Amino acid sequence: MKSDRLLSILLLLQTRGRVPAPELAERLEVSVRTIYRDVEALSAAGVPVYAERGRHGGIGLLAGFRTDVTGLTADESRALFVLAAQGAHAALGLDAALASALRKVMAALPAPHRPAAEVTSRRVLVDATRWKSGPERAVDLAVLQDAVFSDRRLRLRYRHSGEREVRTYTVDPYGLVAKAGVWYLVADRRGRPRLFRADRVRRAWLLDEPVRRRPGVELADAWEELRRRVEEREAGVEVTVRVRRELADMFRRMAAAELTAELEDDGESPWVTARLAYPALRAVRQLLVFSDRVEVLDPPEARAELVAGARSVLALYGEAGTAEG
């Protein structure tokens, strides 16, 4: 609706200052010509909005103009109170600020929408932490936050997964991302995007140097590039297995990161078929946790790797039994 779009333009200009017309058009999914017509409509309604054309132009509001906007719809009111990952606010030290902000928003809501918003806050809870994720290392985001908000470079002492050595990096942070209960620092290192798990940072300190981000790149852009790189990473080994039917649901959950397709089920056999991808052949040994309820069908070298793993376990416990005897 045009009224919603005019309100969106007004809010964007109040929070962002001067905004190029093409950016407004992209965000609101309309043409640039429509944006200029909307600006004329706002001006006719008494809003002191202006447009400057040219390379450094844009659309803005006269300095000092503010308006109290209470035209929220019922769905918008509910959306404000469906807050994902309350643990994220706690990790950032913003729990008290969040509660205060919600009280202020509730007071500003149109009276007819307040009951629905209050019920939503009591009836919908989003917990982004995965089941049985195990004990987690305490994460101190304070220095990372300082770097992100003060636009300064960071020096990290960081330990990569599977390595004992702690490495030192100087990075240019874009921001922090919480994914499935895990915090990540998105930063450039030597002009290239990198992802650092916050719980693997052993030490971090700010440098007296301004951040050196790539021009025009925002946190969302860098995160999308890194996320796509992780998800599209080529697998070193593709494996086909069969899984006992009664284990199918558990297998689907536990092997979700390696599954490349939905389980194949003919509805009659006591087995279902699964296809997985592993970064290296040795990683196939993860399937040993399922004992004889999962069988590798292909490739032969994956079967051989499981046999070698089983023999290693047998030898370990055989030696332990001998020592105890």
Side-chain angles (χ1 to χ4, degrees):
M1 294 175 59
K2 182 176 180 179
S3 58
D4 288 340
R5 193 170 66 245
L6 294 178
L7 181 57
S8 296
I9 292 174
L10 184 56
L11 290 172
L12 284 168
L13 296 180
Q14 284 192 169
T15 56
R16 293 277 309 279
R18 189 165 57 187
V19 182
E23 181 179 337
L24 286 173
E26 181 180 356
R27 293 185 65 139
L28 300 176
E29 299 181 348
V30 295
S31 67
V32 174
R33 181 176 297 179
T34 297
I35 291 296
Y36 281 118
R37 284 201 297 264
D38 289 345
V39 169
E40 291 177 1
L42 286 171
S43 180
V47 177
V49 61
Y50 66 90
E52 290 185 359
R53 299 182 183 272
R55 181 178 178 184
H56 300 292
I59 297 169
L61 296 169
L62 291 182
F65 175 79
R66 303 292 297 176
T67 183
D68 292 327
V69 181
T70 58
L72 292 172
T73 67
D75 285 343
E76 290 169 343
S77 302
R78 291 190 184 97
L80 289 173
F81 287 83
V82 180
L83 299 173
Q86 292 183 352
H89 301 100
L92 296 172
L94 296 175
D95 265 0
L98 173 64
S100 175
L102 287 179
R103 286 193 295 271
K104 292 176 182 178
V105 170
M106 182 67 79
L109 285 177
H113 300 334
R114 290 176 192 168
E118 186 177 355
V119 169
T120 299
S121 68
R122 298 201 312 267
R123 297 290 185 267
V124 180
L125 175 65
V126 180
D127 185 344
T129 305
R130 298 194 307 179
W131 290 110
K132 299 181 179 180
S133 56
E136 298 179 357
R137 183 177 180 271
V139 178
D140 185 0
L141 297 176
V143 177
L144 305 186
Q145 272 188 270
D146 286 347
V148 166
F149 290 116
S150 64
D151 290 330
R152 290 166 64 185
R153 306 189 88 192
L154 263 177
R155 184 156 293 153
L156 303 178
R157 291 282 289 162
Y158 187 81
R159 185 188 67 79
H160 291 277
S161 176
E163 295 185 6
R164 293 186 176 181
E165 179 185 358
V166 178
R167 302 173 184 267
T168 302
Y169 297 109
T170 298
V171 300
D172 299 289
Y174 286 94
L176 295 164
V177 174
K179 182 174 177 62
V182 178
W183 282 98
Y184 295 90
L185 172 72
V186 177
D188 275 354
R189 179 174 181 263
R190 296 178 179 174
R192 302 188 64 181
R194 294 286 297 272
L195 203 57
F196 299 90
R197 274 187 62 141
D199 58 1
R200 293 183 188 150
V201 174
R202 294 297 176 259
R203 185 187 173 196
W205 59 99
L206 293 174
L207 301 181
D208 291 326
E209 303 174 37
V211 71
R212 305 172 188 174
R213 301 186 184 110
R214 286 167 288 152
V217 178
E218 298 290 341
L219 171 61
D221 305 316
W223 170 253
E224 177 61 21
E225 180 181 351
L226 291 164
R227 184 195 60 78
R228 189 170 59 248
R229 187 185 301 174
V230 170
E231 293 181 353
E232 295 178 357
R233 184 180 298 162
E234 292 187 4
V237 182
E238 295 183 354
V239 178
T240 303
V241 304
R242 65 174 188 167
V243 183
R244 296 293 301 185
R245 177 182 298 280
E246 64 271 17
L247 188 70
D249 289 340
M250 180 185 295
F251 182 83
R252 187 183 288 108
R253 292 194 301 271
M254 294 180 65
E258 290 76 36
L259 283 172
T260 60
E262 183 53 54
L263 303 187
E264 299 172 14
D265 185 356
D266 61 10
E268 298 179 0
S269 169
W271 298 87
V272 297
T273 303
R275 304 186 188 283
L276 308 102
Y278 290 97
L281 183 61
R282 190 175 181 83
V284 175
R285 295 192 180 194
Q286 294 174 358
L287 295 173
L288 287 172
V289 71
F290 298 107
S291 185
D292 59 351
R293 293 181 291 175
V294 172
E295 179 187 1
V296 171
L297 303 177
D298 191 65
E301 54 266 31
R303 291 176 63 93
E305 183 65 29
L306 280 185
V307 171
R311 286 174 176 165
S312 296
V313 172
L314 183 61
L316 173 64
Y317 286 100
E319 291 173 0
T322 303
E324 290 174 2

